Short mmCIF file of all heavy atoms in Angstrom, two decimals:
data_model
loop_
_atom_site.label_atom_id
_atom_site.label_comp_id
_atom_site.label_asym_id
_atom_site.label_seq_id
_atom_site.Cartn_x
_atom_site.Cartn_y
_atom_site.Cartn_z
N LEU A 151 -9.57 -2.19 2.60
CA LEU A 151 -10.32 -1.41 1.61
C LEU A 151 -11.71 -1.98 1.38
O LEU A 151 -12.70 -1.23 1.29
CB LEU A 151 -9.55 -1.36 0.29
CG LEU A 151 -8.28 -0.50 0.28
CD1 LEU A 151 -7.48 -0.76 -0.99
CD2 LEU A 151 -8.63 0.98 0.39
N LYS A 152 -11.80 -3.30 1.30
CA LYS A 152 -13.11 -3.93 1.12
C LYS A 152 -14.02 -3.62 2.31
O LYS A 152 -15.23 -3.42 2.16
CB LYS A 152 -12.95 -5.44 0.96
CG LYS A 152 -12.24 -5.87 -0.32
CD LYS A 152 -13.12 -5.70 -1.55
CE LYS A 152 -14.16 -6.77 -1.67
NZ LYS A 152 -14.95 -6.66 -2.93
N GLY A 153 -13.42 -3.58 3.50
CA GLY A 153 -14.19 -3.23 4.68
C GLY A 153 -14.69 -1.81 4.64
O GLY A 153 -15.85 -1.53 5.00
N ILE A 154 -13.83 -0.89 4.21
CA ILE A 154 -14.24 0.52 4.10
C ILE A 154 -15.37 0.66 3.07
O ILE A 154 -16.34 1.38 3.29
CB ILE A 154 -13.04 1.41 3.70
CG1 ILE A 154 -12.02 1.46 4.84
CG2 ILE A 154 -13.51 2.82 3.36
CD1 ILE A 154 -10.76 2.21 4.47
N GLU A 155 -15.24 -0.06 1.97
CA GLU A 155 -16.27 -0.01 0.93
C GLU A 155 -17.60 -0.54 1.48
O GLU A 155 -18.66 0.09 1.28
CB GLU A 155 -15.84 -0.84 -0.28
CG GLU A 155 -16.85 -0.83 -1.42
CD GLU A 155 -16.41 -1.69 -2.59
OE1 GLU A 155 -15.55 -2.58 -2.39
OE2 GLU A 155 -16.95 -1.50 -3.69
N ALA A 156 -17.56 -1.67 2.17
CA ALA A 156 -18.78 -2.24 2.74
C ALA A 156 -19.38 -1.30 3.78
O ALA A 156 -20.61 -1.11 3.83
CB ALA A 156 -18.48 -3.60 3.36
N PHE A 157 -18.53 -0.71 4.60
CA PHE A 157 -18.98 0.23 5.63
C PHE A 157 -19.67 1.43 4.99
O PHE A 157 -20.74 1.86 5.42
CB PHE A 157 -17.79 0.67 6.47
CG PHE A 157 -18.14 1.44 7.72
CD1 PHE A 157 -18.27 0.79 8.94
CD2 PHE A 157 -18.33 2.81 7.68
CE1 PHE A 157 -18.60 1.49 10.09
CE2 PHE A 157 -18.65 3.53 8.83
CZ PHE A 157 -18.78 2.86 10.04
N ALA A 158 -19.05 1.96 3.95
CA ALA A 158 -19.61 3.13 3.26
C ALA A 158 -20.95 2.80 2.60
O ALA A 158 -21.82 3.67 2.49
CB ALA A 158 -18.62 3.64 2.22
N ASN A 159 -21.11 1.53 2.19
CA ASN A 159 -22.35 1.10 1.55
C ASN A 159 -23.41 0.68 2.57
O ASN A 159 -24.50 0.26 2.19
CB ASN A 159 -22.08 -0.05 0.59
CG ASN A 159 -21.31 0.40 -0.63
OD1 ASN A 159 -21.36 1.56 -1.03
ND2 ASN A 159 -20.58 -0.52 -1.25
N GLY A 160 -23.07 0.77 3.86
CA GLY A 160 -24.02 0.43 4.90
C GLY A 160 -24.09 -1.05 5.22
O GLY A 160 -24.95 -1.47 6.00
N ASP A 161 -23.21 -1.84 4.63
CA ASP A 161 -23.18 -3.28 4.91
C ASP A 161 -22.23 -3.52 6.08
O ASP A 161 -21.07 -3.91 5.90
CB ASP A 161 -22.75 -4.05 3.67
CG ASP A 161 -23.06 -5.54 3.78
OD1 ASP A 161 -23.20 -6.03 4.93
OD2 ASP A 161 -23.18 -6.20 2.74
N LEU A 162 -22.72 -3.28 7.27
CA LEU A 162 -21.86 -3.30 8.46
C LEU A 162 -21.33 -4.69 8.78
O LEU A 162 -20.18 -4.85 9.17
CB LEU A 162 -22.64 -2.74 9.65
CG LEU A 162 -23.18 -1.32 9.47
CD1 LEU A 162 -24.06 -0.92 10.65
CD2 LEU A 162 -22.05 -0.32 9.30
N SER A 163 -22.16 -5.70 8.63
CA SER A 163 -21.73 -7.08 8.92
C SER A 163 -20.60 -7.50 7.99
O SER A 163 -19.63 -8.14 8.42
CB SER A 163 -22.91 -8.05 8.79
OG SER A 163 -23.90 -7.78 9.76
N LEU A 164 -20.70 -7.15 6.72
CA LEU A 164 -19.66 -7.50 5.76
C LEU A 164 -18.38 -6.74 6.07
O LEU A 164 -17.28 -7.30 5.97
CB LEU A 164 -20.13 -7.19 4.34
CG LEU A 164 -19.17 -7.61 3.21
CD1 LEU A 164 -18.89 -9.10 3.27
CD2 LEU A 164 -19.76 -7.21 1.85
N ALA A 165 -18.51 -5.47 6.45
CA ALA A 165 -17.34 -4.67 6.83
C ALA A 165 -16.60 -5.33 7.99
O ALA A 165 -15.37 -5.46 7.97
CB ALA A 165 -17.76 -3.25 7.21
N ILE A 166 -17.35 -5.78 8.98
CA ILE A 166 -16.75 -6.45 10.14
C ILE A 166 -16.01 -7.71 9.69
O ILE A 166 -14.89 -7.99 10.14
CB ILE A 166 -17.83 -6.78 11.18
CG1 ILE A 166 -18.35 -5.49 11.83
CG2 ILE A 166 -17.28 -7.73 12.25
CD1 ILE A 166 -19.59 -5.70 12.70
N THR A 167 -16.64 -8.48 8.81
CA THR A 167 -16.02 -9.71 8.32
C THR A 167 -14.68 -9.43 7.64
O THR A 167 -13.68 -10.12 7.88
CB THR A 167 -16.96 -10.43 7.34
OG1 THR A 167 -18.16 -10.79 8.02
CG2 THR A 167 -16.30 -11.69 6.78
N TYR A 168 -14.66 -8.43 6.77
CA TYR A 168 -13.42 -8.08 6.07
C TYR A 168 -12.35 -7.62 7.05
O TYR A 168 -11.19 -8.04 6.98
CB TYR A 168 -13.68 -6.98 5.04
CG TYR A 168 -14.34 -7.45 3.76
CD1 TYR A 168 -15.42 -6.77 3.23
CD2 TYR A 168 -13.87 -8.57 3.09
CE1 TYR A 168 -16.03 -7.18 2.05
CE2 TYR A 168 -14.47 -9.00 1.91
CZ TYR A 168 -15.55 -8.30 1.40
OH TYR A 168 -16.15 -8.72 0.23
N TRP A 169 -12.71 -6.76 7.98
CA TRP A 169 -11.72 -6.23 8.92
C TRP A 169 -11.20 -7.29 9.88
O TRP A 169 -10.02 -7.30 10.22
CB TRP A 169 -12.32 -5.05 9.68
CG TRP A 169 -12.47 -3.82 8.81
CD1 TRP A 169 -11.73 -3.51 7.71
CD2 TRP A 169 -13.41 -2.76 8.98
NE1 TRP A 169 -12.15 -2.31 7.18
CE2 TRP A 169 -13.19 -1.83 7.93
CE3 TRP A 169 -14.42 -2.50 9.90
CZ2 TRP A 169 -13.92 -0.67 7.78
CZ3 TRP A 169 -15.17 -1.34 9.76
CH2 TRP A 169 -14.92 -0.43 8.72
N GLN A 170 -12.08 -8.20 10.28
CA GLN A 170 -11.62 -9.31 11.12
C GLN A 170 -10.68 -10.21 10.33
O GLN A 170 -9.71 -10.75 10.90
CB GLN A 170 -12.81 -10.09 11.66
CG GLN A 170 -13.59 -9.35 12.74
CD GLN A 170 -14.79 -10.12 13.24
OE1 GLN A 170 -15.37 -10.95 12.52
NE2 GLN A 170 -15.21 -9.85 14.47
N GLY A 171 -10.93 -10.36 9.04
CA GLY A 171 -10.02 -11.13 8.19
C GLY A 171 -8.66 -10.49 8.12
O GLY A 171 -7.62 -11.16 8.15
N ALA A 172 -8.63 -9.17 8.01
CA ALA A 172 -7.36 -8.44 7.97
C ALA A 172 -6.60 -8.59 9.28
O ALA A 172 -5.36 -8.65 9.30
CB ALA A 172 -7.61 -6.97 7.67
N GLN A 173 -7.32 -8.68 10.37
CA GLN A 173 -6.68 -8.80 11.68
C GLN A 173 -5.98 -10.14 11.89
O GLN A 173 -5.08 -10.24 12.73
CB GLN A 173 -7.71 -8.62 12.80
CG GLN A 173 -8.18 -7.19 13.02
CD GLN A 173 -9.16 -7.09 14.16
OE1 GLN A 173 -10.04 -7.95 14.31
NE2 GLN A 173 -9.05 -6.06 14.97
N GLN A 174 -6.37 -11.15 11.13
CA GLN A 174 -5.84 -12.49 11.34
C GLN A 174 -4.32 -12.55 11.22
O GLN A 174 -3.67 -13.38 11.84
CB GLN A 174 -6.47 -13.47 10.35
CG GLN A 174 -7.96 -13.65 10.50
CD GLN A 174 -8.35 -14.16 11.89
OE1 GLN A 174 -7.78 -15.13 12.38
NE2 GLN A 174 -9.29 -13.48 12.52
N GLN A 175 -3.74 -11.68 10.40
CA GLN A 175 -2.30 -11.71 10.14
C GLN A 175 -1.52 -10.72 11.01
O GLN A 175 -0.31 -10.59 10.84
CB GLN A 175 -2.04 -11.36 8.67
CG GLN A 175 -2.90 -12.10 7.67
CD GLN A 175 -2.99 -11.35 6.37
OE1 GLN A 175 -1.98 -11.09 5.74
NE2 GLN A 175 -4.20 -11.01 5.95
N LEU A 176 -2.20 -10.05 11.91
CA LEU A 176 -1.59 -8.94 12.63
C LEU A 176 -1.42 -9.22 14.11
O LEU A 176 -2.15 -10.02 14.70
CB LEU A 176 -2.45 -7.68 12.45
CG LEU A 176 -2.64 -7.21 11.01
CD1 LEU A 176 -3.72 -6.14 10.95
CD2 LEU A 176 -1.34 -6.68 10.43
N VAL A 177 -0.45 -8.54 14.69
CA VAL A 177 -0.23 -8.62 16.13
C VAL A 177 -1.27 -7.74 16.81
O VAL A 177 -1.41 -6.56 16.47
CB VAL A 177 1.19 -8.13 16.49
CG1 VAL A 177 1.39 -8.15 18.00
CG2 VAL A 177 2.24 -8.98 15.79
N PRO A 178 -2.02 -8.29 17.78
CA PRO A 178 -3.09 -7.52 18.42
C PRO A 178 -2.65 -6.19 19.02
O PRO A 178 -3.44 -5.25 19.07
CB PRO A 178 -3.59 -8.48 19.51
CG PRO A 178 -3.31 -9.83 18.96
CD PRO A 178 -2.00 -9.69 18.22
N ALA A 179 -1.40 -6.11 19.46
CA ALA A 179 -0.93 -4.86 20.07
C ALA A 179 -0.54 -3.82 19.03
O ALA A 179 -0.28 -2.66 19.38
CB ALA A 179 0.25 -5.14 20.99
N GLY A 180 -0.49 -4.20 17.77
CA GLY A 180 -0.04 -3.29 16.72
C GLY A 180 -1.06 -2.23 16.36
O GLY A 180 -2.27 -2.39 16.58
N ALA A 181 -0.57 -1.14 15.77
CA ALA A 181 -1.43 0.00 15.43
C ALA A 181 -2.46 -0.37 14.37
O ALA A 181 -3.61 0.09 14.43
CB ALA A 181 -0.58 1.17 14.95
N ILE A 182 -2.07 -1.17 13.38
CA ILE A 182 -3.01 -1.52 12.32
C ILE A 182 -4.14 -2.36 12.87
O ILE A 182 -5.32 -2.14 12.57
CB ILE A 182 -2.29 -2.25 11.17
CG1 ILE A 182 -1.23 -1.34 10.54
CG2 ILE A 182 -3.29 -2.69 10.10
CD1 ILE A 182 -0.42 -2.00 9.45
N PHE A 183 -3.81 -3.36 13.70
CA PHE A 183 -4.82 -4.20 14.33
C PHE A 183 -5.78 -3.35 15.14
O PHE A 183 -7.00 -3.50 15.05
CB PHE A 183 -4.15 -5.25 15.23
CG PHE A 183 -5.09 -6.25 15.84
CD1 PHE A 183 -5.22 -7.51 15.29
CD2 PHE A 183 -5.86 -5.92 16.96
CE1 PHE A 183 -6.10 -8.44 15.84
CE2 PHE A 183 -6.75 -6.84 17.51
CZ PHE A 183 -6.87 -8.11 16.95
N GLN A 184 -5.24 -2.43 15.94
CA GLN A 184 -6.07 -1.59 16.79
C GLN A 184 -6.95 -0.66 15.98
O GLN A 184 -8.11 -0.40 16.34
CB GLN A 184 -5.19 -0.79 17.76
CG GLN A 184 -4.45 -1.64 18.79
CD GLN A 184 -5.39 -2.43 19.68
OE1 GLN A 184 -6.45 -1.93 20.06
NE2 GLN A 184 -5.03 -3.66 20.00
N GLY A 185 -6.41 -0.15 14.87
CA GLY A 185 -7.22 0.70 14.00
C GLY A 185 -8.38 -0.05 13.39
O GLY A 185 -9.51 0.45 13.30
N LEU A 186 -8.10 -1.29 12.95
CA LEU A 186 -9.17 -2.13 12.42
C LEU A 186 -10.21 -2.44 13.49
O LEU A 186 -11.41 -2.46 13.22
CB LEU A 186 -8.58 -3.43 11.86
CG LEU A 186 -7.75 -3.29 10.59
CD1 LEU A 186 -6.95 -4.56 10.33
CD2 LEU A 186 -8.63 -2.97 9.39
N GLN A 187 -9.73 -2.64 14.71
CA GLN A 187 -10.66 -2.93 15.81
C GLN A 187 -11.57 -1.74 16.08
O GLN A 187 -12.74 -1.90 16.41
CB GLN A 187 -9.88 -3.29 17.08
CG GLN A 187 -10.76 -3.81 18.21
CD GLN A 187 -11.52 -5.07 17.82
OE1 GLN A 187 -10.93 -6.03 17.30
NE2 GLN A 187 -12.82 -5.07 18.04
N THR A 188 -11.02 -0.54 15.91
CA THR A 188 -11.84 0.66 16.07
C THR A 188 -12.98 0.65 15.06
O THR A 188 -14.13 0.97 15.40
CB THR A 188 -10.99 1.93 15.88
OG1 THR A 188 -9.98 1.98 16.89
CG2 THR A 188 -11.84 3.19 15.96
N GLY A 189 -12.65 0.27 13.82
CA GLY A 189 -13.68 0.18 12.79
C GLY A 189 -14.71 -0.88 13.12
O GLY A 189 -15.93 -0.68 12.95
N ILE A 190 -14.24 -2.03 13.59
CA ILE A 190 -15.14 -3.13 13.96
C ILE A 190 -16.07 -2.70 15.08
O ILE A 190 -17.29 -2.94 15.04
CB ILE A 190 -14.32 -4.37 14.36
CG1 ILE A 190 -13.61 -4.95 13.14
CG2 ILE A 190 -15.22 -5.43 15.01
CD1 ILE A 190 -12.56 -6.00 13.47
N ASP A 191 -15.49 -2.07 16.09
CA ASP A 191 -16.30 -1.62 17.23
C ASP A 191 -17.36 -0.62 16.80
O ASP A 191 -18.51 -0.66 17.27
CB ASP A 191 -15.41 -1.00 18.31
CG ASP A 191 -14.50 -2.02 18.98
OD1 ASP A 191 -14.76 -3.23 18.85
OD2 ASP A 191 -13.51 -1.59 19.61
N ARG A 192 -16.97 0.27 15.90
CA ARG A 192 -17.93 1.28 15.44
C ARG A 192 -19.05 0.63 14.64
O ARG A 192 -20.24 0.98 14.81
CB ARG A 192 -17.21 2.33 14.59
CG ARG A 192 -18.11 3.47 14.14
CD ARG A 192 -17.35 4.58 13.45
NE ARG A 192 -16.38 5.21 14.34
CZ ARG A 192 -15.68 6.29 14.02
NH1 ARG A 192 -15.87 6.86 12.84
NH2 ARG A 192 -14.82 6.81 14.86
N ALA A 193 -18.68 -0.32 13.79
CA ALA A 193 -19.70 -1.02 12.99
C ALA A 193 -20.64 -1.81 13.89
O ALA A 193 -21.86 -1.82 13.68
CB ALA A 193 -19.01 -1.94 11.99
#
Side-chain angles (χ1 to χ4, degrees):
L151 288 169
K152 293 287 284 184
I154 292 175
E155 181 182 20
F157 191 94
N159 290 334
D161 195 337
L162 302 174
S163 295
L164 185 58
I166 291 170
T167 298
Y168 282 133
W169 288 334
Q170 287 178 334
Q173 285 182 320
Q174 296 301 311
Q175 312 157 59
L176 300 169
V177 178
I182 298 177
F183 185 100
Q184 294 299 322
L186 290 166
Q187 189 60 50
T188 298
I190 291 168
D191 292 343
R192 184 173 298 187

